[in-house]
Amino acid sequence: MKRLFQICAALWCAVVFAAQAQVGGIKPGNGHPQQGYFFVGGKYVEGKTGPIMERQMYVEYRFPAKVTQKYPIVMIHGAAQTGTNFTGTPDGRKGWAEYFVEKGYAVYVVDQPTRGRSAWNESVGPLIRFSASQLEQRFTNAAQHKLWPQAALHTQWPGEGPKKGQRGDPVFDQFYASQVQYIGVNATVETLNREAGAALLDKIGPAIVMTHSQTGAIGWVIADERPKLVRAVIANEPTGPPFSGAVFDNNRVRPWGLTETPLAYDPPVKNPAELAPVQQEKADGPNLERCYVQPSPARKLANLQNIPIVVIATESSYHAVYDHCTAKYLQQAGVPASFVQLADVGIKGNGHMLMIEKNNLEIADFIMSWIARTVK
C-alpha cells in the first residue's frame, strides 16, 4: 500500500508540473491582453499528515496585447512584502506592473517562496514580522524620526493630515495590512530564491530582473545561477552594503561581499575569508558610509561580467547612506554597474518604498529610459 501511495504521489507530482509547464508556456503578444498565474520550483516532502509541497514560487503574469519591448521584466519584492508592491499602491493608484504592461512589457510578478501565495512549511525555517513602529521609522514617517541624516528629506509618502505615514493614516494602515511573515535568515532566503528564480527563467527565457531591498541579494544569486538568461538587473535600494551592516548596526554580514551564500569569483574563492575586505579610509562624501572593498587586485564576479546593472537609491531612504558602496563593489569586481541617486536626475523626496510612493510612475519612466539606453 505504501508503495502504491508513493507511485500515486509521483504521478500527481508529474501532472502538477506538466500543468505548470503548460501554463508557464503561454506566449505573450497574441493580440489580446493576458493575465494569470502559475508556480515554479517546489518539491514534495513528508509532512505530519502526508506529502506537502514546499519551496514553490507563485508567479503572476501580465501581458499586453502587443509586446513591444524585447525582454520581459521579473519583479521581485523585498522583506515582509509580497507582489502587491508592484500591482498597485495602498492609496489606490496605478502600480508598476500595470504601467510597464501599458508601455509594452511582458511582466512577471512573484511572491517569494514561503511568502504570500507561495506556501510556507515549518521545515524551511521560522518566521518573523515587522512591527508597525519599525515601518513608520524606516519606510513611511522617517522625516519625523530622523534615524539617519537624509531622513528629513522624505516627502513622497502618500496620505494627508497629522497622521500621515503613521498608524491611523488610512494609507499607512492599508500598507501595513499588506505586510506578511517572512523567514529572517537571509542565507535561507537566498537559497530558496536562487532555486525558484532559476526555475522561472528556465520556463520563460531571457528576462530583466528587478529587485527591491532584501531581494538585492536575490538578484545577484539568480544572475550567478543563470547568467545567460539575465539580461539586466535593476536593483532598487538593494541589500547592503557589502560585508557590513549600516545605519541600524555595524555587524559583519554578507561574507561573500554582496550575499550570505556563495557567488562565483575569478580567481575562485573556497572560503569567503579569502576576499579579505578593507574599508575606505575616507567616505565618498558627507553623511555616507565608508565602503568595504576588495584589496587590489580584486577578484572578478565571474558570472556577472556581461550583465548590465543599475543600483538605484532614493534621496531620503537609509539606503542613501550606503547604496553607492554596492555599486562600487560591483564595479571593482568587473561588473558593468552604474549607480543612480534619484535626486541627481531630478526625482526627489522618496523613501525606501519608491514603487508605491506619490511619484512612482516618474521613477518607472526613469527605469524604462535606462533599459532603452542600456539593454540590448
Side-chain angles (χ1 to χ4, degrees), residues 20 35 69 98 104 133 144 238 253 263 267 275 289 310 312 344:
Q20 287 183 4
Q35 185 170 330
Q69 306 298 332
E98 180 182 357
S133 58
Q144 178 174 317
V253 290
L263 293 171
L275 293 171
E289 286 285 317
V310 60
I312 297 173
D344 292 341

Side-chain angles (χ1 to χ4, degrees), residues 34-104:
Q34 298 177 76
Q35 185 170 330
Y37 70 91
F38 56 91
F39 289 83
V40 293
K43 66 178 184 178
Y44 283 102
V45 298
E46 195 63 31
K48 295 176 182 178
T49 59
I52 297 173
M53 184 182 285
E54 66 176 27
R55 297 171 178 256
Q56 69 271 29
M57 183 166 72
Y58 170 90
V59 183
E60 178 178 317
Y61 61 86
R62 299 183 179 210
F63 303 153
K66 182 179 180 181
V67 175
T68 60
Q69 306 298 332
K70 187 174 182 179
Y71 298 112
I73 297 184
V74 176
M75 299 182 175
I76 312 177
H77 60 84
Q81 315 292 316
T82 70
T84 59
N85 285 168
F86 299 109
T87 58
T89 70
D91 58 333
R93 289 173 293 108
K94 187 180 298 182
W96 279 6
E98 180 182 357
Y99 191 60
F100 274 81
V101 168
E102 288 178 357
K103 301 298 183 181

Side-chain angles (χ1 to χ4, degrees), residues 170-181:
V171 177
F172 175 86
D173 292 343
Q174 280 290 304
F175 173 61
Y176 189 67
S178 73
Q179 305 301 287
V180 298
Q181 307 94 324

Side-chain angles (χ1 to χ4, degrees), residues 41 47 242 283 332:
Q332 188 194 28

Side-chain angles (χ1 to χ4, degrees), residues 50 70 74 80 91-92 154 172 187 190 207 217 247 272 278 287 320-321 350:
K70 187 174 182 179
V74 176
D91 58 333
H154 191 199
F172 175 86
E190 289 174 19
V247 181
V278 293
N287 299 322
V321 177
N350 288 101

Side-chain angles (χ1 to χ4, degrees), residues 35-360:
Q35 185 170 330
Y37 70 91
F38 56 91
F39 289 83
V40 293
K43 66 178 184 178
Y44 283 102
V45 298
E46 195 63 31
K48 295 176 182 178
T49 59
I52 297 173
M53 184 182 285
E54 66 176 27
R55 297 171 178 256
Q56 69 271 29
M57 183 166 72
Y58 170 90
V59 183
E60 178 178 317
Y61 61 86
R62 299 183 179 210
F63 303 153
K66 182 179 180 181
V67 175
T68 60
Q69 306 298 332
K70 187 174 182 179
Y71 298 112
I73 297 184
V74 176
M75 299 182 175
I76 312 177
H77 60 84
Q81 315 292 316
T82 70
T84 59
N85 285 168
F86 299 109
T87 58
T89 70
D91 58 333
R93 289 173 293 108
K94 187 180 298 182
W96 279 6
E98 180 182 357
Y99 191 60
F100 274 81
V101 168
E102 288 178 357
K103 301 298 183 181
Y105 286 90
V107 172
Y108 297 88
V109 180
V110 313
D111 283 358
Q112 289 185 40
T114 73
R115 199 86 62 83
R117 291 161 289 191
S118 304
W120 169 81
N121 188 34
E122 60 186 0
S123 66
V124 180
L127 300 175
I128 61 175
R129 283 193 77 184
F130 279 134
S131 70
S133 58
Q134 284 178 296
L135 297 193
E136 289 172 358
Q137 293 167 9
R138 299 182 184 194
F139 296 172
T140 65
N141 195 30
Q144 178 174 317
H145 294 277
K146 297 182 176 66
L147 298 183
W148 57 92
Q150 296 88 336
L153 301 173
H154 191 199
T155 60
Q156 292 290 350
W157 180 256
E160 302 294 339
K163 286 285 188 178
K164 179 179 177 179
Q166 306 172 64
R167 284 158 286 174
D169 166 19
V171 177
F172 175 86
D173 292 343
Q174 280 290 304
F175 173 61
Y176 189 67
S178 73
Q179 305 301 287
V180 298
Q181 307 94 324
Y182 71 102
I183 293 174
V185 180
N186 286 328
T188 301
V189 174
E190 289 174 19
T191 300
L192 293 172
N193 282 279
R194 181 189 282 262
E195 296 169 357
L200 175 58
L201 292 177
D202 288 343
K203 187 178 292 294
I204 67 174
I208 297 167
V209 174
M210 176 187 288
T211 65
H212 175 244
S213 195
Q214 179 199 44
T215 49
I218 291 168
W220 316 138
V221 299
I222 292 175
D224 189 62
E225 191 71 17
R226 291 292 186 273
K228 293 183 179 180
L229 294 179
V230 175
R231 289 294 186 259
V233 177
I234 299 162
N236 296 292
E237 303 223 320
T239 310
F243 299 107
S244 177
V247 181
F248 305 113
D249 66 63
N250 289 309
N251 297 332
R252 292 304 297 271
V253 290
R254 292 175 286 282
W256 291 87
L258 301 171
T259 59
E260 298 286 343
T261 54
L263 293 171
Y265 280 88
D266 182 21
V269 173
K270 293 183 178 180
N271 185 323
E274 297 172 35
L275 293 171
V278 293
Q279 191 174 29
Q280 291 176 301
E281 292 186 5
K282 184 178 180 181
D284 290 344
N287 299 322
L288 298 178
E289 286 285 317
R290 291 187 296 138
C291 303
Y292 281 91
V293 296
Q294 295 185 61
S296 183
R299 286 176 163 86
K300 305 303 181 185
L301 282 162
N303 292 336
L304 275 63
Q305 295 296 292
N306 298 313
I307 301 175
I309 291 169
V310 60
V311 176
I312 297 173
T314 69
E315 184 179 40
S316 72
S317 168
Y318 56 96
H319 278 254
V321 177
Y322 59 74
D323 272 354
H324 66 291
C325 295
T326 298
K328 183 184 293 286
Y329 188 81
L330 287 162
Q331 292 162 357
Q332 188 194 28
V335 181
S338 57
F339 174 66
V340 175
Q341 224 292 351
L342 287 179
D344 292 341
V345 294
I347 304 175
K348 297 188 175 184
N350 288 101
H352 187 51
M353 299 303 299
L354 65 169
M355 76 289 292
I356 60 174
E357 294 198 317
K358 290 189 291 187
N359 59 349
N360 65 332

